[in-house]
Amino acid sequence: MESSGFSADRDWHDDAMRLIDLSHTVTAGLVTYPGLPGPEISDHLSFEDSHAAYAEGTEFTIGRISMVSNTGTYLDTPGHRHRGRHDLSGLALERCALLPAVVVDGPATGPVEASAFEGLDLAGTAVLLRTRWDAHFGTDRYGDPTHPYLATDAAQLLVHAGVVLVGIDSVNIDDTQGGERPVHTLLLDADVPIVEHLTGLDQLPETGATFTATPVKVAGMSTFPVRAFAVAPD
C-alpha cells in the first residue's frame, strides 16, 4: 500500500517543515467583530467542586463558553449567507484541510484587486490574503471601514479559477461601508468557505505551504471558530 506520508511519530524537524499557528487566541470578553459580544468563559465544574464526585487525589475541571459563532478566527460555510445551503455539519474536510496555500499580498487599506492574482495557478488552492491588518486586532482601529477587503471582480476571478477556500487577515473579506456583501455572496454560493481574522500570514511563503482550518462539526450552525494553521518549509 502506498504511504500517505503522514505518521503519528513524524519528526517535522527532520523533514525541514514547521507548523505555523494562524489563529487569534479566544479570551473572555474578546471583541472580534465590532458590535458583537465577546465570549463568556467559566467553569461548569471546578477542580474544587469535582472532589465530591471522585476519589481523593483525583480531580477534574469542565469548562463552559458562551459566544457568538463569529468569534476569533472563524470559517463561514454557505449556510451563513444562503438559506437552505449546508452548515458546518455538511462541510467536507477537502474544503478546509491540507490545502496547498497561495499567499497574495494586499494593500494596507481598501480592495485587493483582481490584478493581484494575474499569472497565479489557483485551481485547488487556499488563497490567503495577506494585508497585515491583523496588527490592529483587538483595537478600535480594527473595525475601521477603511480596512482591506477583496474586490468583487477579484472574487469572481477566484471562483472561476477553481479555488477551494479563501482567507484574509482583516476584519471582513467584504467592504463594510455599505450593507451589501457581494464577496460572501459569490464565494459561498460557489461552495468556497471563507476564513476571516487570520493572523501571522507574514510567516508564510507565497507558495509551498499547506493550510488547514477546521471548525467543530455542528449541525444548525454555519460559522464557527477554527484553529487555522499551516505547514511550511523551514
Side-chain angles (χ1 to χ4, degrees), residues 127-151:
V127 172
L128 308 179
L129 307 178
R130 180 169 55 196
T131 70
R132 297 178 172 83
W133 194 255
D134 56 319
H136 304 299
F137 188 80
T139 72
D140 292 339
R141 173 71 169 155
Y142 191 64
D144 193 285
T146 64
H147 67 81
Y149 60 92
L150 184 63

PDB file of all heavy atoms in Angstrom, residues 127-151:
ATOM      1  N   VAL A 127      -6.496  30.342  -1.094  1.00  0.00           N
ATOM      2  CA  VAL A 127      -5.901  31.654  -1.345  1.00  0.00           C
ATOM      3  C   VAL A 127      -5.987  32.457  -0.048  1.00  0.00           C
ATOM      4  O   VAL A 127      -7.082  32.686   0.484  1.00  0.00           O
ATOM      5  CB  VAL A 127      -6.624  32.384  -2.489  1.00  0.00           C
ATOM      6  CG1 VAL A 127      -6.127  33.819  -2.598  1.00  0.00           C
ATOM      7  CG2 VAL A 127      -6.397  31.647  -3.803  1.00  0.00           C
ATOM      8  N   LEU A 128      -4.846  32.881   0.469  1.00  0.00           N
ATOM      9  CA  LEU A 128      -4.766  33.610   1.727  1.00  0.00           C
ATOM     10  C   LEU A 128      -4.321  35.034   1.443  1.00  0.00           C
ATOM     11  O   LEU A 128      -3.226  35.255   0.911  1.00  0.00           O
ATOM     12  CB  LEU A 128      -3.791  32.922   2.684  1.00  0.00           C
ATOM     13  CG  LEU A 128      -4.048  31.425   2.917  1.00  0.00           C
ATOM     14  CD1 LEU A 128      -2.999  30.857   3.869  1.00  0.00           C
ATOM     15  CD2 LEU A 128      -5.450  31.181   3.454  1.00  0.00           C
ATOM     16  N   LEU A 129      -5.170  36.008   1.787  1.00  0.00           N
ATOM     17  CA  LEU A 129      -4.904  37.414   1.511  1.00  0.00           C
ATOM     18  C   LEU A 129      -4.159  38.026   2.688  1.00  0.00           C
ATOM     19  O   LEU A 129      -4.696  38.140   3.795  1.00  0.00           O
ATOM     20  CB  LEU A 129      -6.215  38.151   1.255  1.00  0.00           C
ATOM     21  CG  LEU A 129      -7.113  37.525   0.169  1.00  0.00           C
ATOM     22  CD1 LEU A 129      -8.410  38.307   0.038  1.00  0.00           C
ATOM     23  CD2 LEU A 129      -6.373  37.455  -1.160  1.00  0.00           C
ATOM     24  N   ARG A 130      -2.931  38.424   2.430  1.00  0.00           N
ATOM     25  CA  ARG A 130      -2.053  38.958   3.474  1.00  0.00           C
ATOM     26  C   ARG A 130      -2.033  40.485   3.389  1.00  0.00           C
ATOM     27  O   ARG A 130      -1.363  41.077   2.547  1.00  0.00           O
ATOM     28  CB  ARG A 130      -0.642  38.386   3.303  1.00  0.00           C
ATOM     29  CG  ARG A 130       0.360  38.874   4.334  1.00  0.00           C
ATOM     30  CD  ARG A 130       1.649  38.074   4.260  1.00  0.00           C
ATOM     31  NE  ARG A 130       2.249  38.075   2.929  1.00  0.00           N
ATOM     32  CZ  ARG A 130       3.193  37.217   2.530  1.00  0.00           C
ATOM     33  NH1 ARG A 130       3.604  36.269   3.361  1.00  0.00           N
ATOM     34  NH2 ARG A 130       3.693  37.282   1.315  1.00  0.00           N
ATOM     35  N   THR A 131      -2.793  41.117   4.274  1.00  0.00           N
ATOM     36  CA  THR A 131      -2.875  42.581   4.283  1.00  0.00           C
ATOM     37  C   THR A 131      -2.185  43.194   5.495  1.00  0.00           C
ATOM     38  O   THR A 131      -1.975  44.398   5.547  1.00  0.00           O
ATOM     39  CB  THR A 131      -4.340  43.025   4.292  1.00  0.00           C
ATOM     40  OG1 THR A 131      -4.926  42.722   5.574  1.00  0.00           O
ATOM     41  CG2 THR A 131      -5.139  42.333   3.190  1.00  0.00           C
ATOM     42  N   ARG A 132      -1.900  42.359   6.493  1.00  0.00           N
ATOM     43  CA  ARG A 132      -1.271  42.778   7.752  1.00  0.00           C
ATOM     44  C   ARG A 132      -2.199  43.650   8.618  1.00  0.00           C
ATOM     45  O   ARG A 132      -1.737  44.317   9.536  1.00  0.00           O
ATOM     46  CB  ARG A 132       0.074  43.468   7.495  1.00  0.00           C
ATOM     47  CG  ARG A 132       1.083  42.519   6.841  1.00  0.00           C
ATOM     48  CD  ARG A 132       2.412  43.201   6.519  1.00  0.00           C
ATOM     49  NE  ARG A 132       3.396  42.211   6.083  1.00  0.00           N
ATOM     50  CZ  ARG A 132       3.496  41.732   4.840  1.00  0.00           C
ATOM     51  NH1 ARG A 132       2.650  42.159   3.901  1.00  0.00           N
ATOM     52  NH2 ARG A 132       4.409  40.846   4.527  1.00  0.00           N
ATOM     53  N   TRP A 133      -3.487  43.635   8.292  1.00  0.00           N
ATOM     54  CA  TRP A 133      -4.458  44.353   9.122  1.00  0.00           C
ATOM     55  C   TRP A 133      -4.600  43.696  10.493  1.00  0.00           C
ATOM     56  O   TRP A 133      -5.088  44.311  11.448  1.00  0.00           O
ATOM     57  CB  TRP A 133      -5.813  44.386   8.419  1.00  0.00           C
ATOM     58  CG  TRP A 133      -6.789  45.367   8.989  1.00  0.00           C
ATOM     59  CD1 TRP A 133      -7.870  45.074   9.763  1.00  0.00           C
ATOM     60  CD2 TRP A 133      -6.792  46.795   8.835  1.00  0.00           C
ATOM     61  NE1 TRP A 133      -8.563  46.228  10.098  1.00  0.00           N
ATOM     62  CE2 TRP A 133      -7.908  47.298   9.539  1.00  0.00           C
ATOM     63  CE3 TRP A 133      -5.962  47.693   8.172  1.00  0.00           C
ATOM     64  CZ2 TRP A 133      -8.215  48.660   9.591  1.00  0.00           C
ATOM     65  CZ3 TRP A 133      -6.272  49.046   8.217  1.00  0.00           C
ATOM     66  CH2 TRP A 133      -7.380  49.519   8.927  1.00  0.00           C
ATOM     67  N   ASP A 134      -4.144  42.456  10.635  1.00  0.00           N
ATOM     68  CA  ASP A 134      -4.232  41.772  11.928  1.00  0.00           C
ATOM     69  C   ASP A 134      -3.443  42.484  13.011  1.00  0.00           C
ATOM     70  O   ASP A 134      -3.657  42.229  14.201  1.00  0.00           O
ATOM     71  CB  ASP A 134      -3.768  40.320  11.804  1.00  0.00           C
ATOM     72  CG  ASP A 134      -2.359  40.191  11.241  1.00  0.00           C
ATOM     73  OD1 ASP A 134      -2.015  40.933  10.306  1.00  0.00           O
ATOM     74  OD2 ASP A 134      -1.604  39.326  11.717  1.00  0.00           O
ATOM     75  N   ALA A 135      -2.548  43.378  12.626  1.00  0.00           N
ATOM     76  CA  ALA A 135      -1.795  44.153  13.624  1.00  0.00           C
ATOM     77  C   ALA A 135      -2.728  45.018  14.472  1.00  0.00           C
ATOM     78  O   ALA A 135      -2.377  45.407  15.591  1.00  0.00           O
ATOM     79  CB  ALA A 135      -0.763  45.039  12.925  1.00  0.00           C
ATOM     80  N   HIS A 136      -3.940  45.310  13.949  1.00  0.00           N
ATOM     81  CA  HIS A 136      -4.898  46.147  14.675  1.00  0.00           C
ATOM     82  C   HIS A 136      -5.914  45.332  15.470  1.00  0.00           C
ATOM     83  O   HIS A 136      -6.795  45.912  16.116  1.00  0.00           O
ATOM     84  CB  HIS A 136      -5.658  47.039  13.681  1.00  0.00           C
ATOM     85  CG  HIS A 136      -4.779  47.887  12.824  1.00  0.00           C
ATOM     86  ND1 HIS A 136      -3.934  48.838  13.336  1.00  0.00           N
ATOM     87  CD2 HIS A 136      -4.613  47.909  11.468  1.00  0.00           C
ATOM     88  CE1 HIS A 136      -3.284  49.434  12.343  1.00  0.00           C
ATOM     89  NE2 HIS A 136      -3.670  48.890  11.205  1.00  0.00           N
ATOM     90  N   PHE A 137      -5.814  44.000  15.422  1.00  0.00           N
ATOM     91  CA  PHE A 137      -6.806  43.153  16.092  1.00  0.00           C
ATOM     92  C   PHE A 137      -6.873  43.489  17.580  1.00  0.00           C
ATOM     93  O   PHE A 137      -5.854  43.650  18.250  1.00  0.00           O
ATOM     94  CB  PHE A 137      -6.440  41.676  15.921  1.00  0.00           C
ATOM     95  CG  PHE A 137      -7.494  40.725  16.415  1.00  0.00           C
ATOM     96  CD1 PHE A 137      -8.599  40.441  15.653  1.00  0.00           C
ATOM     97  CD2 PHE A 137      -7.362  40.108  17.663  1.00  0.00           C
ATOM     98  CE1 PHE A 137      -9.574  39.548  16.099  1.00  0.00           C
ATOM     99  CE2 PHE A 137      -8.324  39.219  18.117  1.00  0.00           C
ATOM    100  CZ  PHE A 137      -9.438  38.942  17.333  1.00  0.00           C
ATOM    101  N   GLY A 138      -8.100  43.607  18.092  1.00  0.00           N
ATOM    102  CA  GLY A 138      -8.283  43.930  19.498  1.00  0.00           C
ATOM    103  C   GLY A 138      -8.259  45.405  19.811  1.00  0.00           C
ATOM    104  O   GLY A 138      -8.357  45.783  20.983  1.00  0.00           O
ATOM    105  N   THR A 139      -8.131  46.257  18.777  1.00  0.00           N
ATOM    106  CA  THR A 139      -8.139  47.704  18.963  1.00  0.00           C
ATOM    107  C   THR A 139      -9.323  48.311  18.223  1.00  0.00           C
ATOM    108  O   THR A 139      -9.945  47.673  17.368  1.00  0.00           O
ATOM    109  CB  THR A 139      -6.845  48.343  18.428  1.00  0.00           C
ATOM    110  OG1 THR A 139      -6.853  48.312  16.982  1.00  0.00           O
ATOM    111  CG2 THR A 139      -5.617  47.599  18.939  1.00  0.00           C
ATOM    112  N   ASP A 140      -9.630  49.564  18.501  1.00  0.00           N
ATOM    113  CA  ASP A 140     -10.714  50.259  17.812  1.00  0.00           C
ATOM    114  C   ASP A 140     -10.423  50.393  16.321  1.00  0.00           C
ATOM    115  O   ASP A 140     -11.344  50.431  15.502  1.00  0.00           O
ATOM    116  CB  ASP A 140     -10.929  51.643  18.417  1.00  0.00           C
ATOM    117  CG  ASP A 140     -11.482  51.589  19.831  1.00  0.00           C
ATOM    118  OD1 ASP A 140     -12.060  50.539  20.200  1.00  0.00           O
ATOM    119  OD2 ASP A 140     -11.332  52.583  20.573  1.00  0.00           O
ATOM    120  N   ARG A 141      -9.171  50.441  15.961  1.00  0.00           N
ATOM    121  CA  ARG A 141      -8.783  50.590  14.558  1.00  0.00           C
ATOM    122  C   ARG A 141      -9.198  49.382  13.715  1.00  0.00           C
ATOM    123  O   ARG A 141      -9.454  49.522  12.510  1.00  0.00           O
ATOM    124  CB  ARG A 141      -7.259  50.768  14.497  1.00  0.00           C
ATOM    125  CG  ARG A 141      -6.637  50.770  13.125  1.00  0.00           C
ATOM    126  CD  ARG A 141      -6.957  52.014  12.341  1.00  0.00           C
ATOM    127  NE  ARG A 141      -6.142  52.111  11.136  1.00  0.00           N
ATOM    128  CZ  ARG A 141      -6.487  52.779  10.045  1.00  0.00           C
ATOM    129  NH1 ARG A 141      -7.628  53.445  10.002  1.00  0.00           N
ATOM    130  NH2 ARG A 141      -5.677  52.805   8.993  1.00  0.00           N
ATOM    131  N   TYR A 142      -9.298  48.225  14.330  1.00  0.00           N
ATOM    132  CA  TYR A 142      -9.545  47.000  13.581  1.00  0.00           C
ATOM    133  C   TYR A 142     -10.844  47.069  12.778  1.00  0.00           C
ATOM    134  O   TYR A 142     -10.923  46.565  11.664  1.00  0.00           O
ATOM    135  CB  TYR A 142      -9.569  45.803  14.528  1.00  0.00           C
ATOM    136  CG  TYR A 142      -9.557  44.463  13.836  1.00  0.00           C
ATOM    137  CD1 TYR A 142      -8.469  44.065  13.067  1.00  0.00           C
ATOM    138  CD2 TYR A 142     -10.626  43.581  13.955  1.00  0.00           C
ATOM    139  CE1 TYR A 142      -8.440  42.828  12.434  1.00  0.00           C
ATOM    140  CE2 TYR A 142     -10.608  42.343  13.328  1.00  0.00           C
ATOM    141  CZ  TYR A 142      -9.520  41.978  12.557  1.00  0.00           C
ATOM    142  OH  TYR A 142      -9.497  40.759  11.925  1.00  0.00           O
ATOM    143  N   GLY A 143     -11.870  47.688  13.317  1.00  0.00           N
ATOM    144  CA  GLY A 143     -13.155  47.761  12.641  1.00  0.00           C
ATOM    145  C   GLY A 143     -13.331  48.962  11.748  1.00  0.00           C
ATOM    146  O   GLY A 143     -14.425  49.191  11.220  1.00  0.00           O
ATOM    147  N   ASP A 144     -12.272  49.734  11.546  1.00  0.00           N
ATOM    148  CA  ASP A 144     -12.362  50.928  10.702  1.00  0.00           C
ATOM    149  C   ASP A 144     -12.828  50.547   9.294  1.00  0.00           C
ATOM    150  O   ASP A 144     -12.345  49.562   8.719  1.00  0.00           O
ATOM    151  CB  ASP A 144     -10.986  51.600  10.633  1.00  0.00           C
ATOM    152  CG  ASP A 144     -11.073  52.997  10.043  1.00  0.00           C
ATOM    153  OD1 ASP A 144     -11.248  53.094   8.813  1.00  0.00           O
ATOM    154  OD2 ASP A 144     -10.958  53.973  10.795  1.00  0.00           O
ATOM    155  N   PRO A 145     -13.750  51.308   8.702  1.00  0.00           N
ATOM    156  CA  PRO A 145     -14.268  50.967   7.368  1.00  0.00           C
ATOM    157  C   PRO A 145     -13.242  51.047   6.247  1.00  0.00           C
ATOM    158  O   PRO A 145     -13.524  50.595   5.132  1.00  0.00           O
ATOM    159  CB  PRO A 145     -15.396  51.982   7.156  1.00  0.00           C
ATOM    160  CG  PRO A 145     -15.125  53.088   8.123  1.00  0.00           C
ATOM    161  CD  PRO A 145     -14.452  52.459   9.292  1.00  0.00           C
ATOM    162  N   THR A 146     -12.058  51.563   6.522  1.00  0.00           N
ATOM    163  CA  THR A 146     -11.003  51.585   5.504  1.00  0.00           C
ATOM    164  C   THR A 146     -10.229  50.277   5.452  1.00  0.00           C
ATOM    165  O   THR A 146      -9.246  50.161   4.704  1.00  0.00           O
ATOM    166  CB  THR A 146     -10.016  52.736   5.770  1.00  0.00           C
ATOM    167  OG1 THR A 146      -9.343  52.512   7.026  1.00  0.00           O
ATOM    168  CG2 THR A 146     -10.732  54.077   5.790  1.00  0.00           C
ATOM    169  N   HIS A 147     -10.649  49.263   6.218  1.00  0.00           N
ATOM    170  CA  HIS A 147      -9.924  48.001   6.292  1.00  0.00           C
ATOM    171  C   HIS A 147      -9.776  47.367   4.901  1.00  0.00           C
ATOM    172  O   HIS A 147     -10.616  47.578   4.003  1.00  0.00           O
ATOM    173  CB  HIS A 147     -10.650  47.036   7.220  1.00  0.00           C
ATOM    174  CG  HIS A 147     -11.981  46.574   6.691  1.00  0.00           C
ATOM    175  ND1 HIS A 147     -12.117  45.556   5.769  1.00  0.00           N
ATOM    176  CD2 HIS A 147     -13.244  46.992   6.959  1.00  0.00           C
ATOM    177  CE1 HIS A 147     -13.385  45.359   5.484  1.00  0.00           C
ATOM    178  NE2 HIS A 147     -14.094  46.218   6.184  1.00  0.00           N
ATOM    179  N   PRO A 148      -8.757  46.541   4.704  1.00  0.00           N
ATOM    180  CA  PRO A 148      -8.607  45.816   3.427  1.00  0.00           C
ATOM    181  C   PRO A 148      -9.717  44.786   3.243  1.00  0.00           C
ATOM    182  O   PRO A 148     -10.223  44.219   4.212  1.00  0.00           O
ATOM    183  CB  PRO A 148      -7.247  45.122   3.569  1.00  0.00           C
ATOM    184  CG  PRO A 148      -6.554  45.810   4.698  1.00  0.00           C
ATOM    185  CD  PRO A 148      -7.627  46.282   5.621  1.00  0.00           C
ATOM    186  N   TYR A 149     -10.059  44.557   1.973  1.00  0.00           N
ATOM    187  CA  TYR A 149     -11.087  43.566   1.637  1.00  0.00           C
ATOM    188  C   TYR A 149     -10.843  43.086   0.211  1.00  0.00           C
ATOM    189  O   TYR A 149      -9.973  43.623  -0.505  1.00  0.00           O
ATOM    190  CB  TYR A 149     -12.493  44.159   1.785  1.00  0.00           C
ATOM    191  CG  TYR A 149     -12.748  45.353   0.895  1.00  0.00           C
ATOM    192  CD1 TYR A 149     -13.307  45.207  -0.379  1.00  0.00           C
ATOM    193  CD2 TYR A 149     -12.433  46.654   1.321  1.00  0.00           C
ATOM    194  CE1 TYR A 149     -13.539  46.299  -1.197  1.00  0.00           C
ATOM    195  CE2 TYR A 149     -12.653  47.746   0.513  1.00  0.00           C
ATOM    196  CZ  TYR A 149     -13.213  47.574  -0.752  1.00  0.00           C
ATOM    197  OH  TYR A 149     -13.426  48.660  -1.560  1.00  0.00           O
ATOM    198  N   LEU A 150     -11.607  42.108  -0.228  1.00  0.00           N
ATOM    199  CA  LEU A 150     -11.465  41.555  -1.562  1.00  0.00           C
ATOM    200  C   LEU A 150     -12.469  42.221  -2.498  1.00  0.00           C
ATOM    201  O   LEU A 150     -13.667  42.281  -2.193  1.00  0.00           O
ATOM    202  CB  LEU A 150     -11.707  40.042  -1.533  1.00  0.00           C
ATOM    203  CG  LEU A 150     -11.516  39.273  -2.843  1.00  0.00           C
ATOM    204  CD1 LEU A 150     -10.079  39.363  -3.334  1.00  0.00           C
ATOM    205  CD2 LEU A 150     -11.927  37.810  -2.661  1.00  0.00           C
ATOM    206  N   ALA A 151     -11.986  42.717  -3.626  1.00  0.00           N
ATOM    207  CA  ALA A 151     -12.868  43.340  -4.610  1.00  0.00           C
ATOM    208  C   ALA A 151     -13.816  42.298  -5.210  1.00  0.00           C
ATOM    209  O   ALA A 151     -13.481  41.115  -5.308  1.00  0.00           O
ATOM    210  CB  ALA A 151     -12.050  43.996  -5.714  1.00  0.00           C
TER     211      ALA A 151
END
